[in-house]
Structure formats: structure tokens, C-alpha cells
Amino acid sequence: FTFAHNGQVPDFAPRRRFYEPVGTTDSEALFCDLLDRLRESFPERAPLDALLPVLVEASRVYSHAGVFNCLLGNGEWLYAFASRKLACITRRAPFGAAHLSDADVSVDFQAETTPNDVVSVLATEPLTTNEVWHRFEPGEWRAFVAGECVASGRVEVPEPPAPSC
């Protein structure tokens, strides 16, 4: 598995069944806890559609403890969850040029892809200025296979706290 976490889940303590964090970050603790949940529910390899209820419920629990934006993949599929900020775009033929938002650079995706490719990109903020990105709603999740969104949904998450002065 590959895991990326953006956010803060302060004082998160994993249940520590099988996987142990090496360091002290909340990301490591969350990853270990998520792997424990999957291992408990599925001692053997399971398909994505079977894993999704466990992934969604864990994401809901984590987002109630703090900010939990994550990507989890295994090389065959990618699960994405946003408690606050996540954006996504799916590109397919005919590919065009994309203008990066943080540099005066364009990327010609037609030169980098084949007509059969489907490419989904996820980031905290949209990376290009000339394309339409989908911003996830709080609690929204999506699952991708071969670049295509194959499942999606939304769970209730707490409202972010109001900024303090």
C-alpha cells in the first residue's frame, strides 16, 4: 500500500493490533490503524468493493478526530477521501496542454500519453489554470481504477472551526 495524509489528527492513538508506527506522526499512526482495520476485516486479499465500507468508515472516524485528507492505493486502485480540501481532474483523449498554476509552464499531455490513457490527478489545490477541476465536498470519497472513478460517496464530517482572532 501507498498512503498520503494531509491534515492534523492531534493525539491520535492507533489501536495497535498488528502494525506499529516507527515514528511519532499522526500520519504514521493513522496508516497503521487503517492497515489494522483492513487486516481485521480481510485476513486475505479482498477486492476494492469489499474494502470500501471499511475505508469509508475509518475515514469518517478519523475526520471526526481532526482533519483527514488521504490517498490510499495498492497499484491497482486508489481511494481518496477529503475532510477539508482535495481537488481532482480526470483527463482522457483528446489530450491538450495544461498551464501550471504556480509557474509559467505548460505541459502538452498529448505528447506524454496515448489515445487510450485515462489519467486522474488529485491534489490539495488545482494544479492548472486552464482546466476544470472538481473540488471534493467535505466528507466526499472516490475510488479510482485505471484512472476512472468507479465508486464515490459522501459521509458527514464535522464543520471546520471558525477562525479565531
Side-chain angles (χ1 to χ4, degrees):
F1 287 102
T2 300
F3 177 76
H5 165 242
N6 172 275
Q8 307 81 33
V9 183
D11 303 320
F12 179 78
R15 297 173 297 155
R16 294 200 163 102
R17 306 257 193 246
F18 187 81
Y19 298 98
E20 291 283 333
V22 175
T24 59
T25 67
D26 58 346
S27 295
E28 291 173 87
L30 290 159
F31 185 37
C32 290
D33 191 76
L34 189 56
L35 291 176
D36 277 334
R37 288 170 184 261
L38 291 173
R39 184 183 181 110
E40 288 170 10
S41 298
F42 305 99
E44 301 295 324
R45 186 178 176 104
L48 175 61
D49 60 336
L51 300 175
L52 282 173
V54 175
L55 294 173
V56 171
E57 175 58 16
S59 298
R60 185 192 68 75
V61 169
Y62 303 152
S63 68
H64 280 262
V67 177
F68 182 74
N69 301 309
C70 88
L71 303 175
L72 177 73
N74 74 348
E76 295 174 10
W77 51 260
L78 177 71
Y79 168 78
F81 179 86
S83 68
R84 294 290 182 272
K85 288 173 57 172
L86 197 59
C88 139
I89 186 169
T90 299
R91 298 182 181 110
R92 56 180 49 82
F95 293 97
H99 307 289
L100 299 183
S101 58
D102 62 351
D104 190 17
V105 175
S106 291
V107 178
D108 180 6
F109 284 104
Q110 187 168 346
E112 305 297 328
T113 57
T114 72
N116 298 324
D117 288 340
V118 177
V119 179
S120 288
V121 179
L122 292 102
T124 305
E125 292 288 338
L127 302 175
T128 58
T129 58
N130 66 321
E131 300 176 293
V132 177
W133 286 70
H134 167 79
R135 290 187 185 269
F136 281 54
E137 294 292 325
E140 186 175 348
W141 62 268
R142 290 180 175 210
F144 298 85
V145 173
E148 296 281 8
C149 180
V150 296
S152 63
R154 188 168 175 220
V155 296
E156 290 299 319
V157 296
E159 290 291 321
S164 60
C165 296

